[in-house]
Amino acid sequence: MNGFSFFAAGIMVYIAVIVFLVGMAYQIYGWVKIPRSSVRLGIFPRPKNKGVRFFKLLKDSFIFPHSAEVDPWMWIFAIFFHFSLAAVLLAHFRMVREFTPLVNVLGKEGMEKLGAIAGGTMGIILLITILFYIFRRFFSPYKDLSVFEDYFIVFLLIVIIALGDHLRFFAKLSVSDYRAYFQSVLMFRPYFPEAIAAKGARWVLTMHVFFVNLFVMYFPFSKLTHAIGTFAVNSVRSDV
Amino acid sequence: MMENNSMIEKNVAQKEVLLEVLKSKINRQLLFYLDICARCAICRDACHQYKVTKDITFLPAYRAELIRRIYKKNISPFGRVFPGLFEGKEVDDEKLLEELGKAAYACTGCRRCMVYCPFSIDTTWVISVAK
């Protein structure tokens, strides 16, 4: 690892995690310390019981079916984007520890094939949907509504996804190489294993991690907190 | 000179009063509404006024955005440090006040925007601050 790689793919990861945790705790404290409105802000019909209300909360937060009625295209792209993002995030845990039960079922080659096909598909879906997000903002009324933050977040995501796709399709690195790097970060001794250090793709990986760090650090202070806040506001919806 | 000074003092006092009003209206729900809107504008066709006139001032997300810009510039801890990220505005910004007046007086409080918003953001509640 040279100086920049050591900073961007090593030290900065720890800084990003600390900023994220402290920032998120500060943000949540900021929300919780302010008292709720004395007026109930929900809309009818009233859910029959707590179980129904909870199910409605999950449905509104994960599928938001009412939005599909007014803007079906945006809804389709949003659903594809968010579910692919969740799947990709989950798949990254393979770099912490191999999904052994899946390997037992599929075999080593089968697992690689699944990774290539599912990972590749998700990568392309993410790229298409994020490009839709940015192109949508080039037109009125979205253009007039957008602020700098909107473009900044989409820019970060485009770079992260494009670099991730590059690693998936062109880097020809095996998951065990990534795992060796990822575990070295977890052990507080970041380094690139031979297979990564010898290839030009180490720069792609470095920049991928660098932009992810920026994204993670910016998360608690931005509209990205909708990932957490959505549960609180959607529960207000059925508070009648 | 004296007249100028008293005008400036009056403006500063007015600005402080407006900010105090905004601060006094803040509750947990409002904070969530101000912090998490993704500006996706799915609420676009939820507002019958926007659907007919296509005037951006009547777009529910934009109506709430006017209050959000004041909040970011003056109250939000991160927004106060980097107001440019959110196009934060002073509470006495003339263009903003003009748009806010139009948006607040026209809103009928039907809450259709809340029904269709993926986060159930109640724009009526946000705009009630201006009302």
Side-chain angles (χ1 to χ4, degrees):
Chain A
M1 262 183 169
N2 67 3
F4 181 72
S5 295
F6 186 70
F7 170 73
I11 308 289
M12 198 180 169
V13 178
Y14 308 118
I15 298 172
V17 171
I18 291 169
V19 171
F20 176 80
L21 292 176
V22 174
M24 222 44 245
Y26 182 70
Q27 178 68 274
I28 291 172
Y29 173 72
W31 287 332
V32 175
K33 76 173 179 190
I34 306 284
R36 292 167 64 91
S37 139
S38 53
V39 183
R40 285 171 183 262
L41 297 179
I43 36 181
F44 285 94
R46 175 186 282 135
K48 278 182 195 140
N49 52 48
K50 277 188 179 172
V52 175
R53 191 179 165 195
F54 184 67
F55 180 73
K56 186 171 156 49
L57 165 68
L58 293 184
K59 194 173 85 177
D60 289 345
S61 303
F62 287 107
I63 314 176
F64 40 99
H66 30 272
S67 300
E69 293 168 28
V70 280
D71 199 342
W73 279 110
M74 180 60 188
W75 181 82
I76 290 168
F77 276 90
I79 287 281
F80 269 98
F81 175 78
H82 286 90
F83 278 96
S84 302
L85 192 65
V88 165
L89 276 180
L90 191 71
H92 273 70
F93 281 98
R94 201 177 162 209
M95 286 166 217
V96 181
R97 210 191 142 102
E98 180 60 287
F99 300 154
T100 320
L102 257 182
V103 179
N104 290 343
V105 176
L106 300 171
K108 258 200 158 171
E109 265 186 30
M111 186 70 191
E112 288 304 315
K113 232 180 199 171
L114 176 74
I117 295 170
T121 312
M122 297 296 169
I124 290 170
I125 290 176
L126 279 178
L127 196 61
I128 292 171
T129 48
I130 198 70
L131 287 174
F132 171 78
Y133 276 15
I134 190 85
F135 281 125
R136 192 170 177 267
R137 287 203 185 272
F138 292 162
F139 301 98
S140 222
Y142 317 105
K143 188 174 72 178
D144 311 314
L145 177 67
S146 304
V147 299
F148 182 82
E149 180 195 37
D150 302 325
Y151 300 104
F152 178 59
I153 291 170
V154 178
F155 163 76
L156 284 180
L157 281 169
I158 289 176
V159 177
I160 292 168
I161 294 166
L163 291 172
D165 279 353
H166 183 103
L167 288 170
R168 161 59 65 197
F169 294 116
F170 306 110
K172 306 269 180 278
L173 287 165
S174 77
V175 68
S176 55
D177 302 327
Y178 292 123
R179 196 179 298 130
Y181 156 66
F182 207 85
Q183 289 190 340
S184 77
V185 174
L186 290 178
M187 305 292 253
F188 297 103
R189 286 194 202 96
Y191 74 93
F192 282 153
E194 276 301 306
I196 294 179
K199 284 195 174 176
R202 69 183 183 277
W203 284 110
V204 183
L205 179 62
T206 303
M207 295 315 285
H208 180 71
V209 178
F210 174 71
F211 281 103
V212 169
N213 289 336
L214 286 184
F215 184 82
V216 167
M217 284 198 280
Y218 184 57
F219 190 100
F221 312 103
S222 67
K223 65 173 189 176
L224 290 167
T225 46
H226 71 245
I228 293 158
T230 184
F231 299 105
V233 270
N234 273 320
S235 99
V236 173
R237 183 193 185 90
S238 47
D239 184 20
V240 282
Chain B
M1 188 69 181
M2 284 268 286
E3 205 175 303
N4 259 352
N5 277 348
S6 70
M7 277 285 281
I8 291 169
E9 275 171 24
K10 200 177 161 194
N11 281 346
V12 171
Q14 269 183 349
K15 197 174 145 184
E16 274 172 14
V17 169
L18 284 173
L19 259 185
E20 281 311 309
V21 171
L22 175 57
K23 281 180 188 165
S24 70
K25 300 281 179 193
I26 283 185
N27 52 50
R28 197 181 299 168
Q29 284 95 332
L30 185 73
L31 265 191
F32 274 121
Y33 295 153
L34 292 175
D35 277 330
I36 71 163
C37 175
R39 285 176 285 274
C40 63
I42 282 179
C43 50
R44 189 190 61 196
D45 288 344
C47 182
H48 46 272
Q49 288 169 358
Y50 176 76
K51 200 170 166 68
V52 175
T53 62
K54 300 290 175 204
D55 181 344
I56 183 82
T57 326
F58 297 144
L59 183 78
Y62 191 79
R63 294 186 204 238
E65 187 61 23
L66 295 168
I67 300 282
R68 189 171 296 113
R69 286 178 184 176
I70 303 172
Y71 161 76
K72 289 289 183 188
K73 171 90 180 179
N74 297 283
I75 300 170
S76 157
F78 187 70
R80 280 163 67 180
V81 183
F82 300 105
L85 272 173
F86 312 98
E87 290 186 17
K89 293 264 167 68
E90 286 296 350
V91 70
D92 57 350
D93 185 286
E94 270 187 30
K95 185 170 178 272
L96 181 131
L97 280 180
E98 195 184 306
E99 286 184 328
L100 195 53
K102 195 173 153 189
Y105 275 108
C107 175
T108 60
C110 69
R111 302 173 93 199
R112 268 171 63 90
C113 40
M114 183 184 187
V115 175
Y116 295 113
C117 174
F119 310 120
S120 309
I121 291 176
D122 188 357
T123 306
T124 304
W125 189 249
V126 182
I127 211 74
S128 71
V129 173
K131 285 178 177 172

